Amino acid sequence: MRVLVLGGTWFVGRAVVEDATARGHDVTVFNRGVTAAPLPISVRRIVGDRESEVDIRSLARSGPWDVVVDVNGSVPAVVRRSASVLADVAERCAFVSTISAYRDWPHAPVDEESPIWDADPDDDPGTRRWDPDAYGPLKVGCEIASREAFGMQRLLLLRPHVVLGRYEYVGRLPWWLARMWRGGQVLAPGPDRAIQPVDVRDLALFLLDRVEDGECGLFNVAPRPEAATYGDMLYACMKATAASDGLPVDLVWVDENWLVGQGVTQWTELPLWRNAAAPWGMRVDRAHAAGLQCRPLAETVQDTWAWLRDGGRAVDHERFDEHGIAAEKESAIIGRWMRRSAS
């Protein structure tokens, strides 16, 4: 099978490329050539900018492909231009979207039929800087652009929850691992709150399995809600770092409602924590019925730590610095909680 991956050297795209080549597929990646991440020797690399119509039309002349995998499309107008050209030289498209496409998330459970944001497939905000408020609507615009170019009969649309694992550039799990490595008292909320992060390798495997089987349609991609808790993740981080001579850790579990009043930025200062009704309320029956298999979260944590300890380093990205609470702020909040508990 001939596979074209738009991107291919960052997080999800890199996992897709590695899995596709391991399966023996003929893989081409198209990107700007800015990231010097290693690629399997059999992969063909075409350098170009998807925002340039000239570059996209030049790329199309290297086709045809059985599938184009779009993991980095985030600007609807750009996706529309590239998809309209590649639809003539690719049999199908697999577009990786996000749970942020759902209008009700994180305040209510969502499934594939839940309402999504209103969006314009011709939208171009002009800036390429990360904007969490615009991200969901823009990805919906990209979905619409892909659907209009390929039609749902030729489109595999995946909406994963948070993706973790090797090559992660957002910095959520790497921050928690580094924090546990430093040891001491660690601020920790919501031990029993169910969480659903998906391992990047499981997302890539599910995508390629569906492509190989010729399946199209829409799938939410995440473990089942009962698979793990926030506490499970933190204990897994403790175990992984302790095995590498990390300093002893004392998890200080605090009340979530109280913590909201302490000025902690949810989702980023304590990565993956949000005191909302359903931040992890993604229904995933459709994907699991289609064959999605999710490894234990502890395995994702252990493998990510092993990658970091072996010198692994994600690509530079502005979002990485958003994550993690300052040591002084964490210590002050723990102190207030301890005094409150004592009284």
Side-chain angles (χ1 to χ4, degrees):
M1 185 169 66
R2 299 195 71 198
V3 180
L4 169 64
V5 181
L6 303 181
T9 56
W10 281 25
F11 186 28
V12 176
R14 189 168 175 181
V16 169
V17 168
E18 289 180 354
D19 195 352
T21 54
R23 298 176 187 222
H25 297 311
D26 181 350
V27 179
T28 300
V29 300
F30 174 77
N31 54 42
R32 295 175 300 165
V34 174
T35 304
L39 291 169
I41 193 170
S42 63
V43 172
R44 180 186 185 189
R45 187 171 195 164
I46 299 177
V47 176
D49 190 338
R50 70 180 298 174
E51 298 205 23
S52 165
E53 187 171 351
V54 172
D55 288 357
I56 287 292
R57 292 196 178 279
S58 176
L59 168 66
R61 290 193 287 273
S62 298
W65 293 277
D66 297 293
V67 62
V68 52
V69 180
D70 190 347
V71 298
N72 66 2
S74 59
V75 179
V78 174
V79 171
R80 180 190 277 282
R81 287 195 296 271
S82 56
S84 63
V85 171
L86 295 175
D88 292 333
V89 293
E91 182 64 27
R92 285 171 290 152
C93 173
F95 184 82
V96 179
S97 186
T98 170
I99 189 175
S100 298
Y102 293 111
R103 195 173 60 214
D104 294 337
W105 182 80
H107 306 293
V110 295
D111 60 24
E112 287 87 352
E113 309 307 319
S114 296
I116 57 177
W117 293 103
D118 295 328
D120 180 357
D122 291 312
D123 191 11
D124 187 340
T127 179
R128 299 298 181 257
R129 290 189 63 82
W130 163 252
D131 182 347
D133 295 325
Y135 179 60
L138 288 174
K139 289 294 274 190
V140 173
C142 295
E143 292 181 11
I144 296 170
S146 300
R147 185 177 69 240
E148 290 182 351
F150 284 89
M152 282 309 296
Q153 296 76 21
R154 299 169 58 200
L155 177 64
L156 174 67
L157 179 57
L158 304 183
R159 292 180 183 146
H161 210 313
V162 169
V163 184
L164 300 179
R166 291 168 175 249
Y167 317 137
E168 183 200 337
Y169 60 84
V170 178
R172 293 162 172 149
L173 186 53
W175 184 85
W176 272 119
L177 286 162
R179 178 63 193 89
M180 295 300 181
W181 169 255
R182 295 200 310 270
Q185 289 185 319
V186 175
L187 185 63
D192 298 322
R193 185 182 282 276
I195 60 174
Q196 296 175 274
V198 60
D199 190 291
V200 65
R201 294 165 294 182
D202 297 330
L203 173 59
L205 186 149
F206 181 73
L207 184 154
L208 288 168
D209 281 350
R210 303 285 69 71
V211 167
E212 289 180 347
D213 290 345
E215 293 185 50
C216 294
L218 168 63
F219 297 92
N220 287 343
V221 183
R224 297 188 185 278
E226 64 272 15
T229 65
Y230 202 81
D232 292 334
M233 181 185 70
L234 297 192
Y235 284 124
C237 289
M238 286 177 58
K239 182 178 179 180
T241 56
S244 302
D245 298 324
L247 295 176
V249 171
D250 176 18
L251 289 177
V252 181
W253 297 105
V254 303
D255 179 79
E256 292 183 274
N257 293 326
W258 177 85
L259 187 57
V260 169
Q262 304 306 304
V264 175
T265 304
Q266 298 182 47
W267 203 246
T268 53
E269 282 196 292
L270 292 179
L272 303 178
W273 169 71
R274 179 173 280 163
N275 191 31
W280 299 100
M282 175 180 262
R283 293 171 179 158
V284 290
D285 293 342
R286 182 180 297 178
H288 284 265
L292 174 63
Q293 298 288 327
C294 294
R295 70 197 68 208
L297 180 55
E299 182 179 332
T300 302
V301 170
Q302 181 63 51
D303 289 349
T304 303
W305 179 242
W307 169 65
L308 292 169
R309 292 285 290 171
D310 196 38
R313 183 177 179 275
V315 295
D316 293 327
H317 195 276
E318 60 186 315
R319 293 179 65 188
F320 199 94
D321 292 334
E322 295 178 357
H323 293 86
I325 189 169
E328 299 80 5
K329 184 174 182 178
E330 179 187 30
S331 179
I333 292 173
I334 289 175
R336 289 196 292 271
W337 175 256
M338 301 293 275
R339 290 191 295 273
R340 178 182 185 272
S341 300
S343 63

